[in-house]
């Protein structure tokens, strides 16, 4: 088992192909968190041999959810699970489902493990300390995810950083094939600019259909400028299983609105190569 310290930090030099949606800093764990990691990671952390970087699995590493969880159940995946507020709560609330949190921030993972232990150690949960964009498509079978969650992804507000936003074509090309037919993709952000960007990226994808095409936009004053052309419908109500995290609280305290989105994975045509079937999107 690898130790969760900063010694294996990835090099700073990257080509454009390697643009990533995260920054790794402050990776050192407190003694308490290191203890939690040492105690719990053998069961809870999926820790495959690494490839060219510490956040990438070695070539040929696969993850069979049925084998990992010892059963076939609905699979919920959260990308950027932070300190585990949502994925742990979901594992406790839904013992009939299996849950996978993917997070590159090791102190967040260690906090998640402490939370897991405090909450009675649900066994339908695993964590993966890898870059979701490249690890998930390499490791998971196509059509294996029933719910995908991305809550409060880093907004990367500066124009020159927009390419680092998670919700961009490289991530969508990587994860949308992993969604099962009729799977649900849920997102939330407290940044109006990022909410607008998400709609621009997600609405045109033929694999996805809005789950709430008539859903109203959040109401009230917002301290950040709501972009021109922001859709007035298509927004989801707050998903009742979504726990309020520190990122949401910070956004609200700063006067920003919370933008929730939900899409469903359009069913593939039988015998197709994964392309969505025409005419199966709900009419808006
Ligand atoms: C702003 S935080 C939000 C955390 C959590 N969802 C919440 O609401 O508290 C975004 C998290 O996504 C993680 N992240 C960003 N890109 C990632 C990727 N490609 N793979 C895995 N984790 C990623 C970051 O490390 C960070 O912890």
């Amino acid at each position: 088992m690898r130790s969760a310290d900063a010694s294996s930090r990835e090099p700073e030099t990257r080509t454009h192909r390697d643009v990533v949606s995260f920054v790794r800093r402050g990776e050192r764990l407190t003694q308490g968190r290191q203890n939690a990691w040492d105690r719990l990671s053998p069961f809870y952390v999926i820790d495959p041999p690494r490839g060219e970087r510490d956040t990438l699995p070695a070539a040929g590493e696969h993850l069979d959810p049925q084998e990992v969880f010892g059963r076939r159940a609905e699979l919920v995946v959260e990308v950027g699970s932070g300190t585990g507020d949502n994925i742990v709560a979901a594992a406790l609330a839904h013992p009939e489902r299996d849950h996978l949190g993917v997070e590159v921030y090791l102190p967040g993972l260690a906090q998640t493990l402490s939370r897991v232990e405090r909450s009675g150690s649900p066994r339908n949960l695993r964590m993966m300390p890898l870059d979701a964009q490249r690890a998930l498509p390499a490791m998971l079978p196509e059509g294996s995810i029933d719910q995908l969650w991305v809550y409060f992804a880093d907004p990367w507000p500066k124009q020159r950083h927009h390419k680092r936003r998670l919700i961009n074509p490289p991530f969508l090309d990587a994860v949308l094939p992993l969604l099962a037919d009729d799977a649900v993709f849920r997102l939330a952000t407290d940044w109006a600019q990022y909410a607008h960007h998400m709609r621009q990226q997600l609405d045109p994808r033929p694999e996805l259909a809005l789950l709430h095409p008539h859903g109203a936009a959040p109401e009230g004053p917002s301290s950040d400028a709501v972009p021109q052309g922001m859709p007035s419908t298509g927004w989801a109500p707050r998903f009742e299983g979504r726990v309020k995290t520190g990122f949401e609280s910070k956004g609200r305290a700063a006067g920003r609105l919370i933008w929730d989105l939900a899409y469903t994975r359009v069913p593939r045509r039988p015998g197709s190569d994964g392309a969505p079937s025409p005419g199966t999107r709900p009419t808006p």
Side-chain angles (χ1 to χ4, degrees):
M1 179 59 51
R2 289 157 7 94
S3 158
D5 67 24
S7 58
S8 48
R9 192 90 48 81
E10 41 194 282
E12 290 302 314
T13 47
R14 296 191 177 115
T15 67
H16 74 278
R17 181 180 87 81
D18 296 323
V19 169
V20 292
S21 52
F22 52 87
V23 180
R24 303 188 77 192
R25 56 180 158 227
E27 297 281 278
R28 198 166 294 285
L29 301 185
T30 60
Q31 193 56 52
R33 288 192 188 148
Q34 183 69 54
N35 293 344
W37 182 277
D38 293 342
R39 236 181 0 264
L40 298 163
S41 63
F43 180 82
Y44 284 103
V45 178
I46 295 171
D47 199 24
R50 298 301 199 269
E52 61 196 90
R53 292 213 299 268
D54 187 40
T55 50
L56 300 179
E61 286 297 317
H62 295 293
L63 182 61
D64 175 356
Q66 216 176 320
E67 199 177 296
V68 169
F69 293 101
R71 64 177 182 174
R72 184 190 293 277
E74 207 177 298
L75 181 64
V76 179
V77 174
E78 184 179 13
V79 170
S81 50
T83 55
D85 310 63
N86 271 291
I87 202 73
V88 176
L92 291 167
H94 290 281
E96 77 285 6
R97 298 181 187 153
D98 291 327
H99 300 79
L100 176 65
V102 189
E103 174 56 68
V104 286
Y105 181 55
L106 293 180
L109 277 178
Q111 254 179 283
T112 304
L113 295 185
S114 304
R115 192 188 295 277
V116 162
E117 196 168 44
R118 286 198 306 276
S119 65
S121 306
R123 300 183 70 79
N124 56 337
L125 171 68
R126 297 294 186 282
M127 303 302 299
M128 203 156 73
L130 299 178
D131 175 356
Q133 181 171 307
R134 291 187 56 193
L136 290 178
M139 295 179 73
L140 276 180
E142 187 161 307
S144 57
I145 299 178
D146 297 287
Q147 290 200 41
L148 178 64
W149 298 349
V150 178
Y151 296 147
F152 300 94
D154 301 290
W156 294 107
K158 293 183 181 153
Q159 176 78 41
R160 69 175 190 278
H161 288 151
H162 285 183
K163 60 179 180 291
R164 302 192 66 162
R165 287 174 165 174
L166 188 67
I167 304 304
N168 264 328
F171 177 73
L172 299 177
D173 293 343
V175 298
L176 296 186
L178 305 179
L179 298 183
D181 289 354
D182 300 315
V184 178
F185 184 10
R186 297 185 190 283
L187 309 100
T189 182
D190 58 321
W191 288 89
Q193 296 280 346
Y194 198 14
H196 184 240
H197 175 85
M198 286 180 183
R199 292 296 298 268
Q200 288 180 317
Q201 296 298 320
L202 295 164
D203 286 9
R205 295 296 301 219
E207 305 95 324
L208 297 175
L210 281 165
L211 204 52
H212 303 276
H214 303 295
E219 282 181 4
S222 175
S223 64
D224 64 342
V226 175
Q228 290 275 333
M230 183 76 124
S232 57
T233 57
W235 302 98
R238 187 199 178 92
F239 168 48
E240 64 176 25
R242 185 166 70 68
V243 173
K244 195 191 254 187
T245 67
F247 287 95
E248 175 171 0
S249 302
K250 249 193 244 169
R252 285 187 186 279
R256 294 192 290 271
L257 296 169
I258 305 299
W259 305 82
D260 276 273
L261 274 174
Y263 292 82
T264 181
R265 200 331 174 163
V266 175
R268 295 152 174 88
R269 244 171 313 174
S272 80
D273 55 359
S277 50
T280 50
R281 289 159 74 96
T283 25

